[in-house]
């Protein structure tokens, strides 16, 4: 793998691995190349794999090891945190930055849809920085549909011998704006507890509170209430009627969908990057900051935002 200083602009690669040795064969030369070039190096892996890399790197490498839990709580927050980190490196004189990381398995299993949007959006969100990153995916545990999205969202593939261009890469403008069918949660295969037509934000908030039968922390429900209010307001103001709100709930989760007959936001990065003047962008930005899970879907019937608190996937 090339060890020269990165040019300005984002070099975003993925590595597929099936053993610790395969992970180290890519991660170690990538990071030591950055260390040799005087570049800040960052590792954001789950603890066992982070320790593998820590042990394989020089003790005085200066590599920053980031805990994945809080960092990957929400995609918009992860983008904000990484941008702040990289801005600090650049302000300190860095001409190149290297990050070797992974999205935690729990996030892949329970909320991949919005992490797929993240993997696409960062090609734009990080492009102002002199960044090279490699995203690691364990083929022993990563589902096929996730690997398919990985192929569409990474311009490069990393291997022990270097990197190659990825022929399956899809430009973020096309990936994020394109149709994405909703994978129904099991609870969505049951009748909703509430179905409202053209609800005002106040009605939407009251409906969520009225059917809350979860065992979730009050703060998480409060965040969901705020998110639902913002999305209902967006749909009424900027969508196309009719607007339909549906709510499902059980002890483990609450799921809310807001559907309208329009095309959804014109900005494909809406929600993941701070909104400026984009119509409806502020509400999506707030929602992505506070809600546990947000997925956006376009199909021939219109646009749907799905908001989730708790874990909608029953324990298996």
């Amino acid at each position: 793998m090339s060890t020269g200083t990165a040019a300005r602009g984002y070099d975003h690669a993925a590595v597929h691995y099936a053993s610790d040795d395969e992970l180290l064969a890519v991660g170690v030369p990538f990071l030591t190349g950055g260390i040799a070039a005087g570049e800040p190096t960052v590792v954001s892996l789950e603890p066992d794999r982070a320790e593998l890399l820590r042990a394989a790197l020089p003790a005085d490498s200066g590599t920053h090891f980031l805990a994945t839990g809080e960092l990957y709580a929400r995609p918009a927050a992860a983008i904000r945190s990484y941008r702040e980190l990289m801005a600090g490196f650049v302000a300190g004189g860095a001409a190149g930055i290297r990050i070797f990381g992974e999205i935690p398995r729990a996030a892949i299993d329970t909320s991949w849809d919005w992490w797929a949007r993240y993997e696409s959006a960062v090609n734009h969100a990080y492009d102002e920085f002199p960044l090279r990153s490699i995203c690691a995916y364990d083929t022993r545990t990563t589902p096929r549909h996730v690997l398919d999205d990985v192929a569409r969202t990474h311009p490069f593939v990393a291997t022990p011998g270097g990197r190659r261009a990825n022929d399956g890469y899809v430009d973020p403008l096309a990936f994020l704006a394109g149709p994405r069918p909703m994978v129904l949660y099991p609870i969505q295969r049951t009748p909703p507890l509430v179905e409202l037509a053209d609800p005002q934000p106040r009605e939407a908030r009251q409906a969520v509170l009225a059917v809350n039968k979860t065992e979730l922390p009050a703060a998480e429900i409060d965040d969901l209430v705020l998110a639902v209010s913002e999305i209902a307001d967006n749909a009424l103001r900027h969508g196309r009627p009719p607007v339909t709100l549906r709510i499902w709930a059980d002890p483990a989760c609450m799921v809310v969908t807001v559907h309208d007959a329009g095309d959804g936001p014109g900005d494909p990065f809406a929600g993941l990057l701070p909104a400026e003047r984009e119509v409806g962008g502020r509400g999506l930005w707030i929602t992505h900051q506070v809600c546990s899970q947000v997925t956006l879907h376009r199909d021939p019937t219109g646009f749907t935002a799905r908001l989730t608190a708790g874990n909608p996937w029953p324990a298996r």
Side-chain angles (χ1 to χ4, degrees):
M1 183 159 306
S2 171
T3 60
T5 300
R8 197 163 187 82
Y10 185 21
D11 181 323
H12 186 201
V15 59
H16 298 156
Y17 68 96
S19 69
D20 292 346
D21 288 343
E22 290 181 7
L23 179 71
L24 293 173
V26 172
V28 171
F30 173 72
L31 292 167
T32 54
I35 294 165
E39 300 172 357
T41 54
V42 178
V43 173
S44 55
L45 299 174
E46 295 202 84
D48 54 345
R49 287 178 290 281
E51 289 308 309
L52 281 173
L53 271 175
R54 192 192 300 271
L57 295 174
D60 58 351
S61 70
T63 297
H64 303 262
F65 284 80
L66 306 180
T68 58
E70 291 187 7
L71 179 62
Y72 289 103
R74 296 175 177 87
I79 290 173
R80 185 179 68 248
S81 295
Y82 272 127
R83 284 179 56 84
E84 290 172 354
L85 178 70
M86 291 185 287
F89 288 148
V90 170
I97 303 165
R98 300 199 185 194
I99 298 176
F100 192 87
E102 66 179 344
I103 294 173
R105 173 67 189 273
I108 290 175
D109 287 347
T110 63
S111 54
W112 172 249
D113 272 341
W114 73 340
W115 288 105
R117 292 185 66 227
Y118 166 90
E119 285 282 43
S120 182
V122 295
N123 291 291
H124 168 76
Y126 299 162
D127 199 44
E128 68 183 89
F129 299 103
L131 172 64
R132 291 179 178 175
S133 77
I134 295 178
C135 303
Y137 286 90
D138 188 337
T139 56
R140 296 166 295 184
T141 59
T142 305
R144 181 72 258 169
H145 72 277
V146 172
L147 294 176
D148 289 344
D149 278 337
V150 170
R152 298 184 188 105
T153 54
H154 292 74
F156 301 100
V157 175
T159 68
R163 62 156 206 177
R164 59 175 173 81
N166 173 20
D167 293 338
Y169 174 64
V170 177
D171 184 273
L173 294 177
F175 182 89
L176 295 171
R180 190 170 183 86
M182 181 186 296
V183 177
L184 295 180
Y185 299 138
I187 195 172
Q188 288 181 272
R189 301 186 184 280
T190 66
L193 300 177
V194 171
E195 182 167 329
L196 299 177
D198 300 321
Q200 293 297 316
R202 182 170 180 272
E203 294 177 89
R205 294 193 297 269
Q206 290 175 337
V208 171
L209 293 171
V211 301
N212 179 22
K213 55 191 292 186
T214 73
E215 298 172 355
L216 300 173
E220 189 167 0
I221 296 300
D222 288 345
D223 287 342
L224 179 65
V225 169
L226 172 58
V228 169
S229 180
E230 292 288 340
I231 294 300
D233 187 54
N234 266 11
L236 290 173
R237 289 175 179 269
H238 310 301
R240 186 180 305 157
V243 173
T244 305
L245 180 144
R246 296 182 175 93
I247 305 175
W248 295 261
D250 65 17
C253 72
M254 184 178 292
V255 178
V256 183
T257 61
V258 180
H259 176 272
D260 71 79
D263 298 325
D267 178 6
F269 304 105
L272 295 175
L273 297 178
E276 294 180 359
R277 291 182 297 274
E278 169 65 23
V279 172
R282 179 179 175 277
L284 280 169
W285 172 247
I286 292 172
T287 298
H288 278 69
Q289 294 297 312
V290 302
C291 192
S292 299
Q293 295 182 40
V294 182
T295 61
L296 307 179
H297 305 274
R298 293 175 174 85
D299 63 28
T301 71
F303 176 75
T304 304
R306 180 173 64 185
L307 314 175
T308 306
N311 184 357
W313 296 104
R316 293 186 287 272

